[in-house]
Amino acid sequence: MSEKFDVIVVGAGPAGTSCAYTCAKQGLKVLQIERGEYPGSKNVMGGVLYRKQMEEIIPEFWKEAPLERPVIEQRFWMMDKESVLSFGYKGLEWAQEPYNNFTVLRAKFDQWFAEKAVEAGSLLICETVVTECIVENGKVVGVKTDRPDGEIYADVVVLADGVNSLLGKQLGFHKEFRPDEVALTVMEVINLPKDKINDRFNLEDNQGCTIEIFGDSTKGNLGTAFLYTNKESLNIGVGTTLSSMIKAKLKPYDLLDQLKNHPMVKPYLEGGESAEYLAHLIPEGGFHSVPRVVGNGVLVVGDAAQFVNAIHREGSNMAMSSGKMAAEAIVKAKEMNDFSETGLNSYKDALSRSFIMKDLEKYKDTAHTFENYPQYFKEYMPMMNQAASKFFTVDGTPKRDKQKEIIRSMTKEKGRMRVLQDIYRAWRAVK
Ligand SMILES: Cc1cc2nc3c(=O)[nH]c(=O)nc-3n(C[C@H](O)[C@H](O)[C@H](O)COP(=O)(O)OP(=O)(O)OC[C@H]3O[C@@H](n4cnc5c(N)ncnc54)[C@H](O)[C@@H]3O)c2cc1C
């Protein structure tokens, strides 16, 4: 391929496709390259897609996109071996337009989204690996691919190549990520008839539920599990930071197996048939791990830039917004005919003003705190379950005595000062 493009986008996940779509809509000549057989074929996600950021790219996308269910209930479980302390919110306003968020199956959604970029004028080639960026005089001027005569040139290359971003590493934008900067997650799609899902989760046809599960789901290690409803299947998965997995000698597949057989989870899955088994890394280093995102002729978006808010399980939305912001910066650079780092720097400014950098900054020390002080997941979750059991068991003990007994047993075990310190530290980590 000898022609030159305005933009080459590497990767057809949500970050890459948002960028390709927005650039093509602005009349730029765009090539998007995906190594998978089709967009979505290599992508893994628990499945919650956020309406707001997608709508900013394609208004009212829910009228035609292949979505599973609008989420109307979000539950949070703090799980112990044979119990669960839960809280959450269910609201019928989320069952109506404009909705809040949706469950999706990425293999379907990514294909549809990439097709929209193609309709907007972007050229998509699949089953093609970008092996390196071509750098001339300190500027990225194109990419090499694994195709014969596979060198292609462009004014700007956008790296939307996901969590490992070998291309970002090649350019020296980041080093190999440390085990505490990524979470290893395994998930399974389990087919289950619609009526069973509706009965078990107390839903109607076009209503979905998400459950985030902490505590025993990761054997008390830093991480979470999830159980989400699709139309006729469930997504169940679990992950911890790679460092926790190594330290605790956990095998991700064992964790998933134990989760599926946990007495609080098993009844939801009964009779289901496993349809797909997937494993993937999530970049969870947050604010401190964001690499360089702008260079001469190159921008980095989505997971490749570590844009994931693990506390709120937001990744696809940050991918989409960063892809869109990168496209807008490219359009500006084109107007100035300046594709240097300075010409593209409006991307960095837009990121700093957006929810992406603000949220990553807010939680910049959260994961490190919970990793360094494992008592939150290991000790407090079982303690809270025991406290709830004591408090809600009707045995003739006056409630005030129960309260005193619960506080006494908590502080006796850990010491009053330690408990207060732990509460203060946790508050500082999330404030
Ligand atoms: C188990 C799990 C659950 C998750 N749950 C949620 C959730 O519920 N909600 C949420 O918002 N986020 C969730 N996330 C995070 C979310 O999936 C990511 O943040 C999002 O997919 C990032 O999009 P992306 O486009 O940056 O990267 P990706 O979706 O990873 O896309 C990168 C693409 O680049 C391609 N590629 C890579 N290298 C090359 C190359 N050299 N040449 C050509 N193509 C290449 C890949 O094949 C891939 O298609 C979850 C992640 C995991 C793993």
Side-chain angles (χ1 to χ4, degrees), residues 321-332:
S321 284
S322 59
K324 181 169 179 280
M325 285 180 229
E328 287 159 356
I330 294 168
V331 171
K332 276 193 196 139

Side-chain angles (χ1 to χ4, degrees), residues 25 35 74 78 105 179 189 259 264 273 284 388 404:
K25 275 271 176 196
R35 67 178 173 188
Q74 301 196 168
M78 284 180 255
L105 291 165
V189 181
L259 175 70
M264 297 296 121
E273 274 177 23
E284 294 200 349
K404 279 188 194 152

